[in-house]
Amino acid sequence: MDRRDWMGLLARAPADVLDRLWQGLGLAPAFEWLRPPEVGGVMVRGRTGATGAPFNLGEMTVTRCALVLESGTVGHGYVQGRNKQQAEKAALVDALMQEDAADRIRAALLEPLATQMQATQDRRAAKAAATKVEFFTLVRGED
Amino acid sequence: MYVAVKGGERAIENAHSWLAEERRGDVAVPELGIAQIREQMALAVNRVMAEGSLYDTDLAALAIKQARGDLIEAVFLIRAYRTTLPRFGASLPVDTGEMRCDRRISATFKDAPGGQVLGPTFDYTHRLLDFKLAADGEVPPAAQAKPQEGPVPHIAGFLNRDGLIQTEAPSDEAPPDLTRDPLEFPANRALRLQALTRGDEGFVLGLAYSTQRGYARNHAFVGELRIGRVAVEMELPELGLAIEIGEVELTECETVNQFAGSKTEPAQFTRGYGLVFGQTERKAISMALVDRALRWRELGEDNLAAPAQDEEFVLSHCDNIQATGFLEHIKLPHYVDFQSELELVRRLRADTEALHEAAE
């Protein structure tokens, strides 16, 4: 799991699950804000005909922040939506994943989070699979 | 022209407090929560996000509650909120080929690779009111089957391989943004698609229907319709990498349309494209039909003077917030304008009467 993976996971994490897993770690590292949590918009783009030139589809809400631990390690948080506490936790996890605590955080927070999010996805995929159809064309009455 | 007026503060205040009371309705009935609207009025939430042009389910649900279920008013609230947000940047174009599909159907290919998946659709329901919903009811869990593995490729890709359908030229050109610059004509396709995806569903539907009824008919088939979730990625310059910043539910419609070919080009199908926030199938199909109709010039078709071919007509009137703003402003005080018209009518009538009297 590299930085791209864990930042992506934290961005999409359900806030309550992330909160519970973070509380379970019992960590409260001291830090200073480089950029306090800020809510903004990101313009989501699509492609014409799925593969052609980009166009602007509409915006989504995103909350971001950056902080520095006492050790000097910098953490960035980018999360979907408007939850500033979630952005703070994402940035703390990002910073701690660059330190000695990485293995512990991976095992106690990131992996269970990934498992739970994957299970939610799998349940949806299983329901979609149950609605898969085979259409048969019938011979019509006319010539 | 409407004019500034003074006074009425007390009446306005009282109107607002009555509005709040009416919004709440009978206090003996439990109050609606934002989560209830988000979860149980999901398609209304989707429409408000699409036309409000901001993907945030909780905000759309709040707007619907505040607007007492008036969806255009809710879209207005979302648009107003959107303008207060700093723009962090633009995402990389989403890859709908990687969509985790809840639904994926094709009206042109029975045996589409990846299969036909109905998803949670109203299609094939009998459209009879279900009185069981009027009582509290437990819902049996939805059936599950083994999830399919592997990608679900776009249908247009297969036709493309044989050269039977027009290709979309790949490009990474930054698209114009109508939230930053005023609309200018002629508009390129990227700008038209942005306007259509946030356009009023009813208006876009009506125009799409007009093309089916013969006003610039282009014989559309739904080559593919897919609904599902895609990851949104953005480049973070401070980190020098692109990360996922979230995921959005989208509806995508690709139509396959007629094309007669020309002296220089062999006959080939053409395409219309619809991509809309949320599960918004009627809108996405409508968007694809109107997109195709607006492409008459680049495809060398005749201008039949049909409304759906007129980009200035379509793009200038598809936005329900602009339309509402101009339409509803005529109820604001126009006393000075009206006073001068009144004077004029009185004078004209007096002149006519004087003439009549002189004639007698």
Side-chain angles (χ1 to χ4, degrees):
Chain A
M1 191 184 281
D2 61 17
R3 192 173 195 187
R4 214 183 103 79
D5 295 328
W6 75 63
M7 285 188 78
L9 201 61
L10 293 163
R12 294 180 289 112
D16 54 335
V17 179
L18 178 60
D19 191 49
R20 183 167 47 75
L21 291 168
W22 174 257
Q23 298 302 334
L25 280 171
L27 291 172
F31 68 87
E32 296 216 10
W33 289 118
L34 293 174
R35 178 161 68 193
E38 168 188 30
V39 178
V42 168
M43 177 56 88
V44 181
R45 287 185 175 156
R47 282 191 186 279
T48 309
T51 53
F55 69 96
N56 290 310
L57 184 63
E59 285 167 284
M60 62 184 270
T61 49
V62 171
T63 305
R64 70 177 178 189
C65 64
L67 49 78
V68 57
L69 301 181
E70 279 176 338
S71 60
T73 308
V74 173
H76 290 272
Y78 269 82
V79 298
Q80 180 170 13
R82 292 163 290 113
N83 190 327
K84 292 182 176 176
Q85 286 78 40
Q86 189 185 350
E88 178 182 324
K89 282 178 206 113
L92 281 170
V93 170
D94 180 50
L96 292 168
M97 279 300 289
Q98 302 167 59
E99 304 218 315
D100 294 342
D103 286 342
R104 194 177 145 213
I105 288 179
R106 189 190 315 270
L109 187 142
L110 293 172
E111 283 170 359
L113 183 61
T115 307
Q116 181 152 351
M117 286 164 65
Q118 187 63 46
T120 307
Q121 272 183 30
D122 290 347
R123 265 197 305 279
R124 268 197 107 73
K127 288 175 198 169
T131 67
K132 192 166 168 175
V133 288
E134 305 294 339
F135 285 120
F136 299 98
T137 46
L138 302 174
V139 178
R140 296 205 292 185
E142 70 251 36
D143 284 321
Chain B
M1 191 184 91
Y2 59 97
V3 294
V5 287
K6 285 182 70 140
E9 291 87 351
R10 183 97 211 125
I12 291 169
E13 221 170 82
N14 291 345
H16 288 173
S17 68
W18 193 17
L19 167 64
E21 195 182 280
E22 289 285 301
R23 175 189 294 122
R24 176 60 184 88
D26 183 352
V27 290
V29 177
E31 187 179 356
L32 262 181
I34 300 306
Q36 288 173 310
I37 298 171
R38 185 191 65 221
E39 298 299 318
Q40 297 174 43
M41 291 287 131
L43 300 191
V45 166
N46 286 346
R47 183 168 177 185
V48 169
M49 294 196 300
E51 292 171 28
S53 203
L54 184 68
Y55 196 100
D56 187 313
T57 50
D58 283 329
L59 279 182
L62 172 64
I64 290 168
K65 178 172 178 173
Q66 187 178 334
R68 306 180 64 198
D70 178 339
L71 296 190
I72 292 183
E73 181 71 18
V75 170
F76 198 165
L77 294 169
I78 292 297
R79 290 274 186 94
Y81 175 82
R82 192 202 67 77
T83 62
T84 67
L85 290 178
R87 174 83 60 91
F88 291 166
S91 80
L92 298 173
V94 292
D95 183 358
T96 54
E98 293 289 319
M99 183 184 282
R100 292 194 304 279
C101 296
D102 286 352
R103 172 165 169 79
R104 191 268 194 154
I105 54 169
S106 170
T108 52
F109 291 98
K110 185 166 67 74
D111 303 310
Q116 305 250 8
V117 175
L118 296 182
T121 179
F122 290 128
D123 295 353
Y124 315 106
T125 62
H126 296 292
R127 266 72 183 215
L128 298 174
L129 276 176
D130 180 359
F131 290 98
K132 286 203 298 289
L133 290 174
D136 289 338
E138 296 270 309
V139 185
Q144 299 195 15
K146 191 176 176 300
Q148 70 179 34
E149 283 168 19
V152 184
H154 277 112
I155 303 253
F158 307 120
L159 283 171
N160 238 349
R161 228 172 284 156
D162 303 328
L164 293 176
I165 193 162
Q166 152 256 331
T167 24
E168 302 292 359
S171 144
D172 282 315
E173 194 187 328
D177 184 353
L178 61 78
T179 68
R180 292 299 162 98
D181 301 300
L183 266 181
E184 275 184 26
F185 302 103
N188 68 10
R189 194 168 172 206
L191 194 61
R192 299 197 301 250
L193 290 172
Q194 184 184 13
L196 289 173
T197 192
R198 71 211 295 266
D200 182 73
E201 180 172 316
F203 184 83
V204 182
L205 168 67
L207 282 170
Y209 180 43
S210 76
T211 69
Q212 292 186 291
R213 289 194 63 254
Y215 293 84
R217 185 195 298 278
N218 53 48
H219 295 280
F221 295 102
V222 172
E224 179 166 2
L225 179 76
R226 53 169 70 192
I227 303 176
R229 287 170 167 74
V230 296
V232 181
E233 282 187 71
M234 186 165 80
E235 297 268 6
L236 301 185
E238 63 265 46
L239 296 180
L241 68 140
I243 67 152
E244 283 179 16
I245 51 165
E247 69 173 17
V248 292
E249 186 184 32
L250 298 176
T251 302
E252 180 184 57
C253 175
E254 290 205 85
T255 56
V256 177
N257 306 65
Q258 68 171 17
F259 183 53
S262 67
K263 286 202 182 78
T264 51
E265 284 179 75
Q268 206 179 32
F269 290 113
T270 58
R271 308 156 71 151
Y273 189 64
L275 186 66
V276 186
F277 278 157
Q279 184 180 337
T280 42
E281 175 168 318
R282 186 187 303 115
K283 170 74 174 287
I285 300 171
S286 302
M287 176 176 168
L289 263 60
V290 177
D291 168 51
R292 177 58 186 77
L294 288 171
R295 300 181 63 203
W296 64 273
R297 203 189 303 265
E298 62 186 270
L299 296 171
E301 295 172 336
D302 291 333
N303 180 6
L304 303 168
Q309 284 182 308
D310 184 337
E311 69 173 21
E312 184 163 359
F313 179 80
V314 175
L315 302 193
S316 303
H317 301 113
C318 67
D319 191 291
N320 55 25
I321 299 312
Q322 276 174 9
T324 296
F326 199 61
L327 184 106
E328 296 202 6
H329 102 279
I330 62 173
K331 71 191 173 185
L332 297 174
H334 280 69
Y335 305 136
V336 174
D337 280 3
F338 188 68
Q339 202 62 41
S340 72
E341 304 242 333
L342 199 59
E343 290 293 315
L344 186 63
V345 171
R346 280 188 177 134
R347 211 168 56 230
L348 288 170
R349 288 174 66 95
D351 290 352
T352 320
E353 274 166 31
L355 274 175
H356 277 294
E357 276 165 24
E360 281 161 13

